[in-house]
Amino acid sequence: LREYYKPLRIESKELIRIIKVGEPSERETRLMYLEARREIDIISKVFEYYPKVRRELIDASNRGVEIKVLLLGKDLLDGRSKSVQEEILELLKRDLNAEIRLSKTILPLRGTIIDPSYRYTTGKAIFVVEDPKTPLYLRDAAITENPSLVAGMKKYFDLIWKYESEEVT
């Protein structure tokens, strides 16, 4: 009887993989920038880690990858964060051919999305949940290559980009 009821084996990837924020998440982000073929969407508070991923992002820009950067609006930042963001914005404008906008509302998720598809066929994302009570070094990041989850992240990005952000002046 067992011969007729052999278990079905389906190969599937994990929905998400958890890594530490800091060097491990920066390494994964750099790899994603190198892998990107069409699009990179970045959601960040002030993009403080830009100097650590700068070379790979410039390389993506030079390859013709479309880059959009969504940062937290200046009204939502403290003094130190405002000055860091101003420095990063100057670098971004100088280094990249990228569209940059500032969110008018807080950003519950931050991270990077590459090559998403609303047909659920491609994409990769890394993200962190905003948690001001937990120090950054104690936080985890999630990575997914699930095309449906990546499309959901892209929808989140697009809605904030279109309806809850403004161009950098």
Side-chain angles (χ1 to χ4, degrees), residues 105-118:
T105 61
I106 60 171
L107 298 169
L109 300 176
R110 305 209 182 121
T112 296
I113 305 161
I114 65 163
D115 299 335
S117 163
Y118 281 139

Side-chain angles (χ1 to χ4, degrees), residues 32-169:
M32 287 174 62
Y33 293 164
L34 292 172
E35 293 171 12
R37 296 293 167 242
R38 296 182 324 274
E39 178 179 350
I40 298 173
D41 300 318
I42 299 164
I43 308 161
S44 184
K45 180 178 177 181
V46 297
F47 207 178
E48 193 166 1
Y49 62 95
Y50 176 66
K52 295 178 181 181
V53 298
R54 185 177 184 188
R55 188 176 73 227
E56 292 80 5
L57 200 52
I58 290 171
D59 180 61
S61 181
N62 291 339
R63 290 193 318 267
V65 175
E66 178 185 346
I67 300 171
K68 292 182 177 178
V69 180
L70 179 63
L71 301 176
L72 197 57
K74 293 176 183 174
D75 294 342
L76 302 169
L77 299 174
D78 62 28
R80 180 193 171 280
S81 294
K82 282 182 187 178
S83 64
V84 170
Q85 188 183 78
E86 286 174 18
E87 290 175 27
I88 297 298
L89 284 171
E90 289 305 313
L91 288 173
L92 291 171
K93 290 175 191 175
R94 188 177 69 214
D95 291 348
L96 306 174
N97 179 24
E99 293 181 68
I100 306 168
R101 294 183 69 93
L102 300 178
S103 173
K104 298 176 192 175
T105 61
I106 60 171
L107 298 169
L109 300 176
R110 305 209 182 121
T112 296
I113 305 161
I114 65 163
D115 299 335
S117 163
Y118 281 139
R119 293 178 183 238
Y120 309 146
T121 57
T122 61
K124 187 173 181 178
I126 183 169
F127 60 97
V128 175
V129 175
E130 175 58 10
D131 181 6
K133 294 176 185 164
T134 304
L136 202 56
Y137 70 91
L138 292 177
R139 295 187 201 175
D140 291 325
I143 299 172
T144 185
E145 293 184 60
N146 179 287
S148 298
L149 182 52
V150 173
M153 295 287 300
K154 172 64 172 165
K155 177 82 68 175
Y156 160 76
F157 181 90
D158 286 348
L159 289 170
I160 294 171
W161 185 268
K162 185 172 182 177
Y163 298 109
E164 295 184 358
S165 70
E166 55 196 9
E167 291 182 29
V168 172
T169 55

